[in-house]
Amino acid sequence: MTTFRPSDERELSDIVAAALAREEPLEIVAGGSKRGLGRPLQLPHTLDMSAFSGIRSYEPEELVLTAGAATSMRIIEAALAERGQMLAFEPPDWRRLLGSGAAEPTLGGVTACNLSGPRRIKAGAARDHLLGFHAVSGRAEAFKAGGRVVKNVTGYDLPKLMAGSYGTLAALTEVTFKVLPRPEAERSLVVAGLDDAAATRAMAAALNSPHEVSGAAHLPRGADGADRPLTVLRLEGPAPSVAARAAALAQELGSFGTIDEAREGASRELWQAVGEVVPLAHDAQRTLWRLSVAPNAGAPLAAELARRLDHRHFFDWGGGLLWLAVRGGDDGGAAIIRAAIARLGGHATLIRGADALRAAVPVFQPQAPALAALSRRVKEGFDPRRILNRGRIYADL
């Protein structure tokens, strides 16, 4: 296996052109913390993008940051924190979850995988904050899309297409994100002892209230995976507003039981654990699934699956995101999970599993024929010879 390390876009284009001529695909790697996501790759060459790093432009007054795609998230978050700002979609750090603790998460990796944390229900996904990018396609063509302003709508919205493409369309070299001020204060209301159904009702009531809840999760085994059930609701903003909204919401939810509060650091630690999937991360022997469903379908789905699978679970996004850790089964529970999803709606993604399992079962939700045909046409447009990250999402792409 050969590792190529381009230092600029011209070199990158030449490397992709050579791979294209030989029809030898490339695995794109920067920090390497997310190599365990998607189908396992066994490609002849690696494309090391680590030279495309560093903050290129940061204008706090304009709420815009541009950086090389391989820039470490540690550097990005430190620069933003210094100016009291943040990436509002709360990108999670999954190194513990994926067993890639020595690797560095990068801004390009977050973009390529469209990773978003608990605040997604209020702030949107990573793709909603991506303003523009520079990249080299599988045709060996350097191109850019979007811009450095929020209201840039010229041409196709390629930034949204690129986010979540897992490097199968182009190798990102530079990305521009919208940033937002960090909340002045944070509190979380905590209700203990609710079952899944009651927790779903409590989260729905909170999210439908006027109190601007920015996180809603239910942890049946507690924040560390071994305690009593906790239902957690986060409020953020100016300190007086947070205090008033927390008091009002606690009163409205009083019928669900005693309500405690976690403030500032304790609240941040709790939501970091939710974003990093800490309640399920420690048991590496279990196959881990991420199910996106309608919020009111999460609890019934978990109950149905419990009758057929040995699993542990918790809910994020107000019940619309179901994390499922399954023990046993030759297919990691894939057939049972996807059959249930087909009845109730939604989609299931295999996040953690052995290489053999991730090669044998669809990691991402199988697409309907019309959507699969569209995906192939998009791939043809950017990478007709399947040079970049071949097979990362689907075996034939």
Side-chain angles (χ1 to χ4, degrees):
M1 176 183 287
T2 305
T3 298
F4 299 102
R5 295 182 175 87
S7 59
D8 55 34
E9 282 193 356
R10 183 183 295 274
E11 251 186 73
L12 174 57
S13 296
D14 290 344
I15 290 168
V16 175
L20 186 60
R22 296 191 301 266
E23 296 195 13
E24 294 180 348
L26 302 161
E27 180 186 4
I28 301 171
V29 176
S33 68
K34 302 172 188 64
R35 292 182 87 175
L37 289 177
R39 300 182 69 256
L41 301 185
Q42 294 182 333
L43 303 183
H45 305 298
T46 300
L47 185 57
D48 184 341
M49 300 289 290
S50 56
F52 297 92
S53 64
I55 295 175
R56 310 285 170 78
S57 173
Y58 177 28
E59 301 174 57
E61 298 80 8
E62 300 298 326
L63 302 177
V64 174
L65 179 143
T66 299
T71 308
S72 164
M73 287 302 301
R74 173 176 45 83
I75 293 172
I76 298 293
E77 288 168 351
L80 293 174
E82 188 175 335
R83 302 303 295 267
Q85 295 182 341
M86 65 177 182
L87 292 169
F89 57 91
E90 207 169 5
D93 182 348
W94 285 355
R95 283 179 290 180
R96 184 190 316 190
L97 185 68
L98 299 174
S100 55
E104 281 277 355
T106 64
L107 188 58
V110 166
T111 306
C113 300
N114 192 36
L115 295 188
S116 310
R119 201 181 285 112
R120 187 187 191 282
I121 56 174
K122 181 180 180 185
R127 61 165 49 97
D128 299 311
H129 297 256
L130 178 63
L131 299 178
F133 66 88
H134 290 217
V136 171
S137 73
R139 295 177 179 270
E141 297 170 343
F143 69 106
K144 62 182 179 179
R148 302 187 65 257
V149 295
V150 174
K151 293 184 179 179
N152 187 309
V153 293
T154 56
Y156 296 107
D157 196 354
L158 294 184
K160 282 191 169 55
L161 181 64
M162 207 58 54
S165 64
Y166 283 78
T168 60
L169 301 179
L172 292 169
T173 60
E174 181 180 287
V175 290
T176 297
F177 273 93
K178 173 179 63 178
V179 301
L180 289 176
R182 188 178 298 274
E184 175 189 327
E186 172 180 333
R187 291 191 192 188
S188 291
L189 302 185
V190 183
V191 188
L194 300 183
D195 61 23
D196 290 353
T200 299
R201 293 194 298 274
M203 290 188 290
L207 290 169
N208 289 324
S209 76
H211 304 306
E212 299 182 31
V213 172
S214 67
H218 175 59
L219 315 173
R221 294 170 60 87
D224 62 359
D227 203 350
R228 61 177 179 164
L230 299 177
T231 306
V232 193
L233 305 160
R234 179 174 61 185
L235 300 106
E236 299 174 300
S241 170
V242 169
R245 284 153 46 212
L249 183 58
Q251 185 173 8
E252 291 175 19
L253 298 180
S255 62
F256 289 96
T258 302
I259 297 176
D260 295 319
E261 283 192 4
R263 300 190 182 187
E264 304 306 335
S267 176
R268 285 191 290 272
E269 287 179 10
L270 195 158
W271 287 102
Q272 182 178 350
V274 172
E276 294 179 4
V277 202
V278 168
L280 303 179
H282 63 282
D283 192 347
Q285 301 306 309
R286 289 179 179 263
T287 302
L288 192 70
W289 293 85
R290 187 175 186 256
L291 282 60
S292 293
V293 297
N296 61 0
L301 177 59
E304 177 180 336
L305 293 175
R307 291 191 286 270
R308 303 187 63 188
L309 294 172
D310 175 1
H311 76 71
R312 296 176 180 172
H313 69 278
F314 76 87
F315 300 95
D316 197 1
W317 300 353
L321 181 63
L322 171 60
W323 284 99
L324 203 69
V326 177
R327 182 182 295 280
D330 292 339
D331 67 349
I336 293 172
I337 290 169
R338 291 218 159 102
I341 284 283
R343 290 192 300 276
L344 295 174
H347 57 85
T349 304
L350 175 56
I351 297 296
R352 184 184 66 195
D355 283 358
L357 175 64
R358 292 188 294 119
V361 306
V363 170
F364 296 90
Q365 185 72 20
Q367 295 178 318
L371 186 56
L374 177 59
S375 295
R376 286 193 293 272
R377 290 199 298 273
V378 170
K379 180 68 170 176
E380 290 287 338
F382 287 91
D383 185 13
R385 298 288 185 175
R386 280 51 170 173
I387 295 299
L388 302 177
N389 276 2
R390 179 187 292 177
R392 174 71 80 186
I393 299 180
Y394 298 106
D396 59 344
L397 295 178

